[in-house]
Amino acid sequence: MELSSYSVEEVFFGSLKAHVIRNTQTGEYVQIVTDFGGKVEALRLSSRTTGTLRDVLLTDNGNETAITENKFWKGMLLMPWANRIAHGKYSFNGSTYQLPLNDPPRQNSLHGFLAGKKLSVYTTSVSANSGSITLSYNFDGSDEGYPFTLRMLVAYELSASGFKVSLTITNTMPQAPLPLTVGWHPYFACSTHQAQVQFEPRTAWNLVELDANLDPTGSTQLDTTFDGSQVIGGSAVEPTFYDSEFKPRSPVNDVMVFRITDTTCNQSVGLWQDSSFRLTHIFTGAMKFFGEDGIALEPMSGMADAFNNHDHLTILSAGETWSGAFGVYVE
């Protein structure tokens, strides 16, 4: 019987339970905070070409206070909505709902309810080729402004291909539909002002116009900023600032790949997202807002404020299941 080089271990960040998937041969690992919404706290991967290890994400250094304060959403899974809902208000299936506002000074509801939830271990698995853990959580309808019940399974896998997250979300109500968007909020560690960002190259990309409240206006325009041909620019202490959402100009019906290339070391990190995640959001303000060098590149299943504008909004009928996946590797 071939022994596995992968392990799944339970650890604690203060009082917060977490799990680590580790490749004991290569030194690769991923840390997942089970007691705080399945947050991806840290990710270390080896390069596909050189084998050198890279710390891929900005982290909270396992600090319980920083994790629970969640000031910048590092590594958080976002659901049952991703990004913003304007003024926290939406109408669905004949009723109007008001969500808590958590985006000062703007009047928005931001990034859903999963942050802070304690997830349960559903399964773990190790083999010669991979290690994985699947966590579960049931939304019971008690969250303010979201009186819908659903079951989430999220599987995290570490393998020679890199890191993969797969989500399966089921409407558990007997009759009623529910609205849903899903996202992830990683910050990729890099020299921001000297990084080149390339969006999926098989389509052009439209910049989503935002109003002063950072909510979509309904207008878009062609934008070629992130075609990989230029660095972010600015300076080390003040990189050029972007806080921008994009949608593909034409359909890409399979996996889309985004790349961040740190030109200081000529190494690229790839982020792939399957056909359930059609939009992306980029944020280059980490240095400005919390003094760390990195770029947030966020896969999203629907547009910001999708509960109101319905752009790529998922509506799950009773008993229906949505699934999607994304992943990260180092070239």
Side-chain angles (χ1 to χ4, degrees), residues 25-29 43-56 160 265-269 329-331:
Q25 290 188 349
T26 65
E28 296 172 288
Y29 64 78
L43 178 63
R44 177 175 290 178
L45 295 175
S46 61
S47 165
R48 289 180 173 181
T49 54
T50 68
T52 57
L53 289 170
R54 181 181 182 92
D55 290 320
V56 177
C265 60
N266 292 317
Q267 191 169 72
S268 298
V269 173
Y329 60 90
V330 178
E331 294 184 347

Side-chain angles (χ1 to χ4, degrees), residues 34-35 37-38 114 117-121 135-137 152 154 156:
T34 315
D35 277 357
L114 198 54
K117 305 290 192 188
K118 291 187 176 183
L119 278 55
S120 300
V121 176
L135 304 178
S136 68
Y137 186 78
M152 178 197 74
V154 53
Y156 307 83

Side-chain angles (χ1 to χ4, degrees), residues 146-193:
Y146 194 81
F148 309 104
T149 66
L150 59 84
R151 177 168 175 78
M152 178 197 74
L153 293 175
V154 53
Y156 307 83
E157 181 183 67
L158 187 66
S159 71
S161 298
F163 173 57
K164 178 181 179 181
V165 179
S166 305
L167 293 115
T168 304
I169 299 167
T170 301
N171 180 343
T172 56
M173 292 185 294
Q175 293 182 324
L178 62 79
L180 177 74
T181 61
V182 181
W184 185 42
H185 203 298
Y187 289 86
F188 293 94
C190 62
S191 177
T192 303
H193 76 295

Side-chain angles (χ1 to χ4, degrees), residues 12-13 99-100 106 125 187 207 215 219 237 250 264 274 299 322:
F12 284 84
F13 300 132
L99 298 159
R106 294 171 291 272
S125 176
Y187 289 86
L207 172 67
D215 300 315
S219 297
V237 296
S250 57
T264 63
D274 74 6
W322 174 96

Side-chain angles (χ1 to χ4, degrees), residues 279-319:
L279 291 89
T280 192
H281 193 105
I282 186 168
F283 176 76
T284 62
M287 182 62 71
K288 176 180 179 180
F289 286 97
F290 55 95
E292 296 184 51
D293 218 357
I295 295 173
L297 193 58
E298 309 163 35
M300 301 195 307
S301 70
M303 185 180 285
D305 202 28
F307 280 24
N308 289 305
N309 60 41
H310 301 159
D311 197 322
H312 285 74
L313 175 67
T314 295
I315 297 176
L316 284 183
S317 299

Side-chain angles (χ1 to χ4, degrees), residues 42-89:
L43 178 63
R44 177 175 290 178
L45 295 175
S46 61
S47 165
R48 289 180 173 181
T49 54
T50 68
T52 57
L53 289 170
R54 181 181 182 92
D55 290 320
V56 177
L57 302 178
L58 299 184
T59 80
D60 284 322
N61 300 307
N63 182 285
E64 180 180 7
T65 299
I67 291 170
T68 55
E69 285 181 347
N70 192 36
K71 287 183 178 180
F72 306 106
W73 300 88
K74 292 178 182 176
M76 288 303 309
L77 295 174
L78 314 175
M79 64 165 292
W81 73 90
N83 215 303
R84 294 173 172 85
I85 294 181
H87 308 288
K89 183 178 289 188

Side-chain angles (χ1 to χ4, degrees), residues 221-235:
Q221 61 181 13
L222 177 67
D223 191 292
T224 60
T225 302
F226 299 109
D227 62 2
S229 66
Q230 58 188 348
V231 296
I232 294 294
S235 66

